[in-house]
């Protein structure tokens, strides 16, 4: 690796996190490549009563009985 690349790596490692994104955009703009789009899975949350987890098996059994 050249001395300039080593210095660049060292300087980037020292940057505060909020300065990384603008620098990354600047470097990416030097290439004709399209940015990688990541297809991340959907992650949701559920709000329920405190004992919901404890009752989950009972609830599922009850739902199975209703669908028959």
């Amino acid at each position: 690796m050249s001395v300039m690349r080593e210095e660049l790596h060292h300087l980037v490692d020292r940057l505060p996190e909020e300065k990384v994104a603008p620098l990354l955009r600047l470097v990416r703009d030097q290439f004709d490549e399209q940015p990688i789009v990541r297809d991340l899975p959907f992650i949701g949350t559920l709000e329920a009563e405190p004992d919901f987890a404890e009752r989950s098996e009972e609830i599922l059994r009850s739902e199975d009985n209703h669908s028959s």
Side-chain angles (χ1 to χ4, degrees):
M1 187 181 313
S2 72
V3 173
M4 286 191 300
R5 283 181 182 267
E6 285 183 24
E7 181 181 5
L8 179 60
H9 278 268
H10 176 71
L11 291 171
V12 169
D13 288 340
R14 291 179 45 207
L15 279 174
E17 197 63 32
E18 65 271 5
K19 302 267 184 169
V20 173
L23 182 59
L24 181 58
R25 281 193 299 274
L26 178 67
V27 172
R28 282 181 178 157
D29 287 347
Q30 299 302 308
F31 299 94
D32 292 332
E33 301 168 4
Q34 295 295 321
I36 297 171
V37 177
R38 300 180 195 273
D39 187 19
L40 299 176
F42 172 77
I43 298 174
T45 60
L46 176 69
E47 189 173 316
E49 300 169 19
D51 66 338
F52 184 74
E54 294 173 5
R55 295 183 46 234
S56 62
E57 289 183 20
E58 174 189 331
I59 292 167
L60 290 173
R61 275 193 304 274
S62 132
E63 289 298 317
D64 285 343
N65 290 337
H66 287 268
S67 64
S68 299

